[in-house]
Short mmCIF file of all heavy atoms in Angstrom, two decimals:
data_model
loop_
_atom_site.label_atom_id
_atom_site.label_comp_id
_atom_site.label_asym_id
_atom_site.label_seq_id
_atom_site.Cartn_x
_atom_site.Cartn_y
_atom_site.Cartn_z
N GLU T 1 -5.04 8.48 -17.29
CA GLU T 1 -4.56 7.49 -16.26
C GLU T 1 -4.45 6.16 -16.84
O GLU T 1 -4.83 5.90 -18.02
CB GLU T 1 -5.42 7.59 -14.99
CG GLU T 1 -5.40 8.96 -14.32
CD GLU T 1 -4.11 9.43 -13.74
OE1 GLU T 1 -3.20 8.52 -13.50
OE2 GLU T 1 -3.95 10.64 -13.57
N GLU T 2 -4.06 5.13 -16.08
CA GLU T 2 -4.16 3.79 -16.56
C GLU T 2 -5.48 3.31 -17.06
O GLU T 2 -6.48 3.35 -16.17
CB GLU T 2 -3.47 2.76 -15.52
CG GLU T 2 -3.32 1.41 -15.91
CD GLU T 2 -2.20 1.32 -16.78
OE1 GLU T 2 -1.26 2.12 -16.79
OE2 GLU T 2 -2.13 0.29 -17.69
N PRO T 3 -5.71 2.83 -18.23
CA PRO T 3 -6.96 2.35 -18.64
C PRO T 3 -7.46 1.19 -17.78
O PRO T 3 -6.72 0.32 -17.27
CB PRO T 3 -6.83 1.83 -20.03
CG PRO T 3 -5.59 2.61 -20.50
CD PRO T 3 -4.71 2.75 -19.20
N LEU T 4 -8.91 1.07 -17.49
CA LEU T 4 -9.48 0.03 -16.71
C LEU T 4 -9.46 -1.31 -17.64
O LEU T 4 -9.44 -2.43 -17.04
CB LEU T 4 -10.82 0.39 -16.24
CG LEU T 4 -10.89 1.65 -15.43
CD1 LEU T 4 -12.36 1.82 -14.86
CD2 LEU T 4 -9.95 1.57 -14.29
N CYS T 5 -9.49 -1.14 -18.98
CA CYS T 5 -9.45 -2.30 -19.76
C CYS T 5 -8.91 -1.90 -21.00
O CYS T 5 -8.69 -0.84 -21.39
CB CYS T 5 -10.96 -2.78 -19.98
SG CYS T 5 -12.16 -1.56 -20.59
N THR T 6 -8.41 -2.98 -21.71
CA THR T 6 -7.96 -2.83 -23.02
C THR T 6 -8.43 -3.87 -23.96
O THR T 6 -8.95 -4.94 -23.58
CB THR T 6 -6.35 -2.86 -23.10
OG1 THR T 6 -5.98 -4.13 -22.60
CG2 THR T 6 -5.66 -1.80 -22.23
N GLY T 7 -8.46 -3.62 -25.28
CA GLY T 7 -9.14 -4.61 -26.19
C GLY T 7 -10.58 -4.65 -26.09
O GLY T 7 -11.17 -4.00 -25.32
N PRO T 8 -11.23 -5.58 -26.86
CA PRO T 8 -12.67 -5.70 -26.66
C PRO T 8 -13.10 -6.33 -25.38
O PRO T 8 -12.59 -7.31 -24.93
CB PRO T 8 -13.01 -6.56 -27.91
CG PRO T 8 -11.83 -6.68 -28.81
CD PRO T 8 -10.64 -6.30 -27.90
N VAL T 9 -14.05 -5.67 -24.75
CA VAL T 9 -14.62 -6.22 -23.50
C VAL T 9 -16.09 -5.86 -23.52
O VAL T 9 -16.50 -4.83 -24.11
CB VAL T 9 -14.03 -5.64 -22.14
CG1 VAL T 9 -12.52 -5.99 -22.07
CG2 VAL T 9 -14.13 -4.21 -22.02
N GLU T 10 -16.92 -6.75 -22.86
CA GLU T 10 -18.32 -6.33 -22.68
C GLU T 10 -18.50 -5.26 -21.63
O GLU T 10 -17.90 -5.34 -20.62
CB GLU T 10 -19.13 -7.46 -22.35
CG GLU T 10 -19.17 -8.46 -23.45
CD GLU T 10 -20.14 -9.76 -23.10
OE1 GLU T 10 -20.97 -9.60 -22.26
OE2 GLU T 10 -19.96 -10.74 -23.78
N ALA T 11 -19.34 -4.21 -21.98
CA ALA T 11 -19.64 -3.20 -21.01
C ALA T 11 -20.63 -3.85 -19.93
O ALA T 11 -21.60 -4.39 -20.32
CB ALA T 11 -20.33 -2.05 -21.75
N PRO T 12 -20.34 -3.53 -18.73
CA PRO T 12 -21.30 -4.11 -17.64
C PRO T 12 -22.62 -3.30 -17.77
O PRO T 12 -22.62 -2.21 -18.29
CB PRO T 12 -20.59 -3.71 -16.35
CG PRO T 12 -19.21 -3.26 -16.72
CD PRO T 12 -19.15 -2.97 -18.13
N PRO T 13 -23.65 -4.01 -17.40
CA PRO T 13 -25.06 -3.33 -17.43
C PRO T 13 -25.18 -2.23 -16.34
O PRO T 13 -24.38 -2.37 -15.36
CB PRO T 13 -25.97 -4.39 -17.13
CG PRO T 13 -25.15 -5.55 -16.35
CD PRO T 13 -23.84 -5.36 -16.89
N PHE T 14 -25.79 -1.21 -16.62
CA PHE T 14 -25.93 -0.06 -15.78
C PHE T 14 -26.70 -0.60 -14.53
O PHE T 14 -27.76 -1.24 -14.62
CB PHE T 14 -26.80 1.10 -16.39
CG PHE T 14 -26.76 2.30 -15.59
CD1 PHE T 14 -25.76 3.19 -15.70
CD2 PHE T 14 -27.81 2.65 -14.88
CE1 PHE T 14 -25.69 4.36 -14.96
CE2 PHE T 14 -27.88 3.85 -14.07
CZ PHE T 14 -26.87 4.68 -14.21
N ASP T 15 -26.12 -0.37 -13.28
CA ASP T 15 -26.57 -0.80 -12.05
C ASP T 15 -26.68 0.48 -11.15
O ASP T 15 -25.78 0.80 -10.55
CB ASP T 15 -25.75 -1.89 -11.41
CG ASP T 15 -26.26 -2.37 -10.13
OD1 ASP T 15 -27.12 -1.82 -9.48
OD2 ASP T 15 -25.90 -3.58 -9.83
N ARG T 16 -27.92 1.07 -11.16
CA ARG T 16 -28.07 2.43 -10.25
C ARG T 16 -27.64 2.18 -8.88
O ARG T 16 -27.01 2.94 -8.25
CB ARG T 16 -29.50 2.91 -10.43
CG ARG T 16 -29.79 4.11 -9.87
CD ARG T 16 -31.15 4.57 -10.23
NE ARG T 16 -31.44 5.97 -9.77
CZ ARG T 16 -31.96 6.28 -8.59
NH1 ARG T 16 -32.46 5.30 -7.68
NH2 ARG T 16 -32.14 7.59 -8.22
N ALA T 17 -28.10 1.06 -8.24
CA ALA T 17 -27.78 0.77 -6.85
C ALA T 17 -26.26 0.71 -6.64
O ALA T 17 -25.81 1.28 -5.62
CB ALA T 17 -28.66 -0.39 -6.30
N ALA T 18 -25.63 -0.02 -7.49
CA ALA T 18 -24.21 -0.20 -7.38
C ALA T 18 -23.40 1.15 -7.55
O ALA T 18 -22.53 1.49 -6.67
CB ALA T 18 -23.62 -1.14 -8.31
N LEU T 19 -23.91 2.03 -8.43
CA LEU T 19 -23.35 3.35 -8.62
C LEU T 19 -23.58 4.21 -7.37
O LEU T 19 -22.66 4.82 -6.82
CB LEU T 19 -24.03 3.95 -9.83
CG LEU T 19 -23.65 5.45 -9.99
CD1 LEU T 19 -22.15 5.70 -10.07
CD2 LEU T 19 -24.48 6.10 -11.12
N ILE T 20 -24.76 4.22 -6.78
CA ILE T 20 -25.09 5.00 -5.57
C ILE T 20 -24.12 4.52 -4.42
O ILE T 20 -23.65 5.25 -3.70
CB ILE T 20 -26.53 5.02 -5.26
CG1 ILE T 20 -27.27 5.75 -6.44
CG2 ILE T 20 -26.86 5.52 -3.90
CD1 ILE T 20 -28.86 5.63 -6.25
N ALA T 21 -24.01 3.14 -4.33
CA ALA T 21 -23.13 2.59 -3.25
C ALA T 21 -21.69 3.17 -3.45
O ALA T 21 -21.08 3.49 -2.51
CB ALA T 21 -23.15 1.12 -3.33
N ALA T 22 -21.14 3.10 -4.79
CA ALA T 22 -19.83 3.70 -4.95
C ALA T 22 -19.76 5.09 -4.61
O ALA T 22 -18.68 5.61 -4.11
CB ALA T 22 -19.45 3.42 -6.45
N LEU T 23 -20.79 5.88 -4.99
CA LEU T 23 -20.84 7.30 -4.67
C LEU T 23 -20.77 7.58 -3.16
O LEU T 23 -20.03 8.26 -2.68
CB LEU T 23 -22.05 7.93 -5.25
CG LEU T 23 -22.05 8.29 -6.74
CD1 LEU T 23 -23.54 8.54 -7.27
CD2 LEU T 23 -21.18 9.34 -7.05
N ARG T 24 -21.55 6.79 -2.52
CA ARG T 24 -21.74 6.89 -0.99
C ARG T 24 -20.38 6.63 -0.25
O ARG T 24 -19.99 7.24 0.63
CB ARG T 24 -22.82 6.23 -0.39
CG ARG T 24 -24.31 6.79 -0.92
CD ARG T 24 -24.49 8.15 -0.59
NE ARG T 24 -25.81 8.60 -1.32
CZ ARG T 24 -25.85 9.14 -2.49
NH1 ARG T 24 -24.78 9.59 -3.12
NH2 ARG T 24 -26.96 9.43 -2.95
N ALA T 25 -19.76 5.55 -0.85
CA ALA T 25 -18.54 5.16 -0.15
C ALA T 25 -17.44 6.18 -0.38
O ALA T 25 -16.68 6.52 0.45
CB ALA T 25 -18.02 3.83 -0.72
N ASP T 26 -17.47 6.79 -1.59
CA ASP T 26 -16.47 7.75 -1.89
C ASP T 26 -16.73 9.09 -1.08
O ASP T 26 -15.89 9.75 -0.51
CB ASP T 26 -16.50 8.21 -3.35
CG ASP T 26 -15.46 9.15 -3.84
OD1 ASP T 26 -14.27 8.75 -3.65
OD2 ASP T 26 -15.73 10.27 -4.12
N GLN T 27 -18.06 9.48 -1.00
CA GLN T 27 -18.38 10.60 -0.15
C GLN T 27 -18.02 10.43 1.28
O GLN T 27 -17.83 11.43 1.93
CB GLN T 27 -19.89 10.90 -0.35
CG GLN T 27 -20.32 11.37 -1.75
CD GLN T 27 -21.85 11.28 -2.02
OE1 GLN T 27 -22.54 10.65 -1.39
NE2 GLN T 27 -22.19 11.87 -3.21
N ALA T 28 -18.10 9.28 1.81
CA ALA T 28 -17.77 8.94 3.25
C ALA T 28 -16.32 8.91 3.40
O ALA T 28 -15.83 8.57 4.56
CB ALA T 28 -18.47 7.67 3.65
N GLY T 29 -15.43 9.03 2.39
CA GLY T 29 -14.06 9.04 2.38
C GLY T 29 -13.49 7.48 2.53
O GLY T 29 -12.39 7.33 3.07
N GLU T 30 -14.31 6.55 2.23
CA GLU T 30 -13.88 5.17 2.35
C GLU T 30 -13.19 4.65 1.16
O GLU T 30 -12.58 3.47 1.22
CB GLU T 30 -15.21 4.30 2.56
CG GLU T 30 -15.96 4.54 3.77
CD GLU T 30 -17.31 3.92 3.80
OE1 GLU T 30 -17.73 3.26 2.78
OE2 GLU T 30 -18.05 4.21 4.70
N THR T 31 -13.10 5.39 0.06
CA THR T 31 -12.36 5.05 -1.12
C THR T 31 -11.57 6.21 -1.69
O THR T 31 -11.82 7.40 -1.33
CB THR T 31 -13.34 4.50 -2.25
OG1 THR T 31 -14.13 5.67 -2.68
CG2 THR T 31 -14.02 3.24 -1.95
N GLU T 32 -10.59 5.92 -2.45
CA GLU T 32 -9.73 6.88 -3.18
C GLU T 32 -10.33 7.11 -4.58
O GLU T 32 -11.12 6.14 -5.00
CB GLU T 32 -8.22 6.62 -3.04
CG GLU T 32 -7.70 6.46 -1.72
CD GLU T 32 -7.56 7.86 -1.02
OE1 GLU T 32 -7.38 8.88 -1.65
OE2 GLU T 32 -7.72 7.89 0.20
N PHE T 33 -9.82 7.93 -5.35
CA PHE T 33 -10.34 8.18 -6.71
C PHE T 33 -10.31 7.02 -7.62
O PHE T 33 -11.29 6.53 -8.25
CB PHE T 33 -9.78 9.40 -7.31
CG PHE T 33 -10.48 9.70 -8.67
CD1 PHE T 33 -11.79 10.19 -8.70
CD2 PHE T 33 -9.70 9.68 -9.84
CE1 PHE T 33 -12.30 10.49 -9.95
CE2 PHE T 33 -10.28 9.91 -11.05
CZ PHE T 33 -11.62 10.36 -11.09
N PRO T 34 -9.10 6.24 -7.55
CA PRO T 34 -9.11 5.12 -8.49
C PRO T 34 -10.17 4.03 -8.09
O PRO T 34 -10.74 3.32 -8.95
CB PRO T 34 -7.65 4.53 -8.29
CG PRO T 34 -6.91 5.69 -7.77
CD PRO T 34 -7.86 6.47 -7.00
N GLU T 35 -10.46 3.81 -6.78
CA GLU T 35 -11.46 2.90 -6.41
C GLU T 35 -12.79 3.30 -6.90
O GLU T 35 -13.68 2.57 -7.29
CB GLU T 35 -11.39 2.60 -4.92
CG GLU T 35 -10.16 1.85 -4.51
CD GLU T 35 -8.96 2.62 -4.11
OE1 GLU T 35 -9.23 3.93 -4.06
OE2 GLU T 35 -7.87 2.14 -4.14
N PHE T 36 -13.01 4.71 -6.73
CA PHE T 36 -14.43 5.29 -7.24
C PHE T 36 -14.56 4.99 -8.68
O PHE T 36 -15.69 4.50 -9.10
CB PHE T 36 -14.40 6.70 -6.89
CG PHE T 36 -15.63 7.43 -7.45
CD1 PHE T 36 -16.86 7.09 -7.03
CD2 PHE T 36 -15.47 8.23 -8.55
CE1 PHE T 36 -18.00 7.72 -7.63
CE2 PHE T 36 -16.59 8.84 -9.19
CZ PHE T 36 -17.90 8.57 -8.69
N VAL T 37 -13.48 5.24 -9.44
CA VAL T 37 -13.67 4.94 -10.93
C VAL T 37 -13.88 3.50 -11.20
O VAL T 37 -14.78 3.16 -12.08
CB VAL T 37 -12.44 5.47 -11.65
CG1 VAL T 37 -12.47 5.11 -13.23
CG2 VAL T 37 -12.26 6.96 -11.46
#
């Protein structure tokens, strides 16, 4: 699919709470797959 970034970029730090929030929003049907990614 369309890349989220191109060229050199800094990788964001791992944020478990933000990941779980993204998972729960997706599981609740609040986001589509592109927003989840």
Side-chain angles (χ1 to χ4, degrees):
E1 299 295 340
E2 186 70 29
L4 301 183
C5 57
T6 58
V9 298
E10 291 185 20
F14 190 80
D15 182 340
R16 185 176 188 265
L19 170 59
I20 292 171
L23 285 164
R24 298 302 174 260
D26 187 66
Q27 291 164 349
E30 297 168 0
T31 59
E32 298 292 326
F33 187 66
E35 291 86 16
F36 170 70
V37 174

